[in-house]
Amino acid sequence: MKQSASFGLGLRKPHYQDFLAGTVPVDFVEVISENFMVAGGRPRDVLRLVRDHYPVALHGVSMSLGSVDGVDRDYLQRLRALVDDVEPMVVSDHLCWTRTDGFNSHDLLPVPYTGEALGVVCDNILQAQDMLGRAMLIENPSTYLAFVGSEMTEWEFLNEICRRTDCGLLLDVNNIHVSAANHHFDAEAYLAGIPFERVRQVHLAGHSQGRELLIDTHDQAVSDPVWALFSAVSKRIDGVAVMIERDDNIPPLHDLLEELAIARSLAKEGVGAWA
Amino acid sequence: MGLRTLQRDFATWLAAEDHEAAGRLSLVAPEGLSVYLNNYRGQLMGCLTESYPKTQAWIGDSAFLSAAADHVEAVTPHSWTLDDYAEGFPGTLARRYPGDPEVADLARLELALSETFVAPDGDSLSLDAIAHVDWARAQLRLMPSATFLDLTTNAAAIWSAIDGGDVPPAAEILAGPATLLIWRQGFVCCFQELDSNERMLVPLISGGIGFEEVCERLVSLHGSDEGVRLAGELLARWAGAGMLQRGVT
């Protein structure tokens, strides 16, 4: 029997007061971990108060799991302190790298899908999971480049990560659509290759058309092609946390809740299709 | 190409727009390089504009964005947190505006306030609680968020005017250097210029000092009656402003 999905939103400053009041009809909220990995002050207080009303998912952007330099111990220690404080429902970061030789790009840079990179990513995930005392979720990225020397597809890479590290997946449906368009692969083939039993969370977001490529901007409503892809995803997931990601051009909360209602509706249809 | 070499070449592309390094990446198609370059620069520019709104208001959008773009070109980020990238910008402004030292002073004040915003929490000693403290044994200590900033200009007055929506005063060099104490009361960041007595005493308090020693130092400078009166006045001012940490006796 399928388990019920849960539905959430990202916690963003324009909506702080609504979430602090505890009146937003969502099952969980997701926060950007790094925004709260600070010593004190208003950010940590807001998070503690929101945590009183909602389960919290911690979503990171700076762990740099693909970095050949390894993961930053200071970063992991601070994240562990936040994890101990918040007791999040999940902790996630991206299949990407951000840092090398002390340089930090503050962007989610693409990993070549090679055996060498697979070893690096898995070693880093295992070290992070050991420091955090829990399994992580790894998110598939939006990418704008592919490397000639890649030896496997992204979904094969993700499968192997899950197998070697026992991590879960945060499946970003918009990222699949963006990368499929940019690299001319079939999004359905991607879905067919994903180990859905590992998927614990789903992101839905908007993107923009760049000059030549689709860009993962999170500044618009979820597009129709992404909803269609989510409809296909919803037939394969079970008891997963689904959420809308919006980081820029943030609309009134009501608009995001309407998008979340679409996600609920499609997920409900997915249950029927699955049954 | 090995992963380390790939990551170094990619970083060199982002930091210096080095086309030779980008050419070594063996890409299926190169169009995406500009997306990552734009993202990188956009993140850093966004960090500086968010961190220094009053400095931007003071020197104007065009001058600020030009200075920020120069900083992004010259300074690469190293910390896992983007917030840390703001740290070096006052130095860039000091070099860019050697004849207008209030610009860098204003930026340093903004930086100190933003660092105080997320500094460690602490419970402050309230004015009401003063009466219940054993002052013969009491140790004074500043709030954990407290920090000092030396200024040579009237940047603090410029900051306050911009913050209040008023016309800022003309920039001027102070007759002597001023020291600001910056701290957080609850979730509100505050700053206050220290007078001559406070400039002597408050740095000592940051390391913990007995109230008796405060009195002794003031008495030695101002005589018995005036020294004791000043000690009481300063204690009330500091507690009223929420600068002192509770529970340190």
Side-chain angles (χ1 to χ4, degrees):
Chain A
M1 183 174 173
K2 285 199 77 164
Q3 300 171 34
S4 301
S6 57
F7 296 87
L9 290 175
L11 179 67
R12 302 295 181 263
K13 279 181 186 171
H15 307 140
Y16 271 8
Q17 290 308 319
D18 299 285
F19 282 104
L20 286 169
T23 55
V24 184
V26 295
D27 302 312
F28 70 96
V29 298
E30 184 188 83
V31 302
I32 303 300
S33 309
E34 289 80 1
N35 291 347
F36 299 90
M37 289 163 60
V38 293
R42 184 72 173 149
R44 289 296 287 262
D45 189 62
V46 165
L47 186 55
R48 286 189 195 106
L49 294 171
V50 168
R51 180 67 183 85
D52 288 343
H53 296 297
Y54 304 97
V56 167
L58 291 180
H59 184 49
V61 294
S62 293
M63 195 177 282
S64 196
L65 288 168
S67 177
V68 74
D69 292 337
V71 279
D72 181 331
R73 286 189 67 81
D74 172 60
Y75 174 90
L76 285 178
Q77 283 167 351
R78 285 171 182 256
L79 180 58
R80 175 61 193 253
L82 185 64
V83 166
D84 290 345
D85 191 23
V86 174
E87 298 179 336
M89 53 188 270
V90 292
V91 180
S92 61
D93 209 302
H94 300 78
L95 173 56
C96 72
W97 65 281
T98 61
R99 178 174 46 78
T100 187
D101 294 329
F103 167 84
N104 200 316
S105 69
H106 297 290
D107 193 16
L108 310 177
L109 304 177
V111 171
Y113 297 132
T114 62
E116 182 196 9
L118 182 64
V120 166
V121 170
C122 289
D123 285 350
N124 288 340
I125 292 173
L126 287 169
Q127 187 184 348
Q129 291 185 153
D130 188 46
M131 285 277 289
L132 297 174
R134 62 191 298 157
M136 290 182 62
L137 305 187
I138 307 303
E139 178 180 344
N140 57 298
S142 276
T143 57
Y144 313 109
L145 287 174
F147 297 94
V148 170
S150 285
E151 298 158 2
M152 59 193 97
T153 62
E154 185 171 294
W155 54 93
E156 288 168 339
F157 199 89
L158 288 167
N159 263 284
E160 197 57 19
I161 286 173
C162 291
R163 191 184 69 77
R164 293 192 192 183
T165 70
D166 213 21
C167 70
L169 289 178
L170 192 175
L171 195 66
D172 190 310
V173 181
N174 180 61
N175 287 353
I176 297 173
H177 174 72
V178 167
S179 292
N182 290 345
H183 305 306
H184 314 295
F185 65 72
D186 180 4
E188 287 293 343
Y190 191 109
L191 294 186
I194 286 293
F196 273 93
E197 72 279 6
R198 296 281 188 170
V199 176
R200 300 282 178 270
Q201 190 178 353
V202 167
H203 275 173
L204 294 162
H207 58 265
S208 301
Q209 176 64 59
R211 198 168 54 185
E212 289 149 323
L213 301 168
L214 292 187
I215 313 294
D216 179 34
T217 46
H218 295 191
D219 63 351
Q220 305 190 37
V222 178
S223 69
D224 287 345
V226 172
W227 283 126
L229 202 53
F230 175 65
S231 186
V233 166
S234 69
K235 295 178 175 64
R236 297 165 157 109
I237 54 179
D238 190 9
V240 164
V242 179
M243 61 163 286
I244 309 290
E245 263 192 317
R246 189 68 172 256
D247 294 313
D248 209 349
N249 191 26
I250 295 175
L253 194 54
H254 176 263
D255 293 6
L256 295 178
L257 289 170
E258 282 191 343
E259 282 196 285
L260 204 56
I262 296 171
R264 287 181 203 271
S265 172
L266 289 172
K268 201 171 176 182
E269 288 174 19
V271 170
W274 187 85
Chain B
M1 169 182 275
L3 190 58
R4 180 173 294 283
T5 305
L6 181 153
Q7 293 185 346
R8 282 181 175 162
D9 281 339
F10 209 127
T12 303
W13 159 251
L14 295 177
E17 198 176 348
D18 185 322
H19 289 270
E20 280 188 26
R24 291 192 292 268
L25 288 172
S26 298
L27 304 172
V28 174
E31 290 80 9
L33 280 170
S34 61
V35 176
Y36 288 104
L37 187 63
N38 288 340
N39 285 352
Y40 168 74
R41 290 176 174 171
Q43 286 272 39
L44 302 185
M45 289 293 286
C47 165
L48 296 178
T49 52
E50 282 181 27
S51 300
Y52 297 100
K54 292 182 175 61
T55 306
Q56 183 168 357
W58 176 247
I59 65 176
D61 291 346
S62 176
F64 182 88
L65 294 176
S66 174
D70 281 358
H71 185 77
V72 168
E73 197 167 317
V75 180
T76 53
H78 299 289
S79 169
W80 58 263
T81 171
L82 187 57
D83 291 346
D84 285 352
Y85 188 67
E87 284 175 3
F89 194 50
T92 293
L93 292 171
R95 288 186 290 278
R96 196 178 176 93
Y97 294 99
D100 302 300
E102 86 286 355
V103 178
D105 269 1
L106 184 57
R108 289 164 61 225
L109 176 54
E110 287 201 271
L111 178 65
L113 286 167
S114 59
E115 289 173 346
T116 302
F117 182 70
V118 291
D121 297 323
D123 291 327
S124 61
L125 176 71
S126 71
L127 202 54
D128 294 342
I130 285 180
H132 307 293
V133 174
D134 175 6
W135 290 108
R137 296 173 50 239
Q139 288 278 315
L140 300 181
R141 198 177 293 275
L142 291 175
M143 291 290 282
S145 58
T147 184
F148 300 96
L149 180 65
D150 291 328
L151 299 176
T152 59
T153 69
N154 63 335
I158 293 170
W159 187 99
S160 296
I162 295 172
D163 190 59
D166 301 324
V167 177
E172 59 183 42
I173 305 288
L174 300 175
T179 299
L180 296 186
L181 176 69
I182 300 168
W183 76 102
R184 199 179 66 235
Q185 187 171 21
F187 299 123
V188 178
C189 295
C190 314
F191 63 84
Q192 179 177 305
E193 184 175 340
L194 302 181
D195 66 22
S196 58
N197 288 316
E198 290 173 316
R199 286 179 69 179
M200 171 188 65
L201 293 167
V202 172
L204 298 174
I205 296 172
S206 70
I209 182 176
F211 182 65
E212 275 200 335
E213 188 176 343
V214 169
C215 294
E216 286 166 9
R217 286 177 180 257
L218 288 169
V219 165
S220 70
L221 282 172
H222 302 283
S224 180
D225 291 349
E226 180 63 5
V228 170
R229 187 194 68 76
L230 272 173
E233 182 183 304
L234 289 174
L235 180 63
R237 188 196 303 174
W238 297 336
M243 289 161 41
L244 299 176
Q245 199 172 167
R246 194 174 65 184
V248 292
T249 56

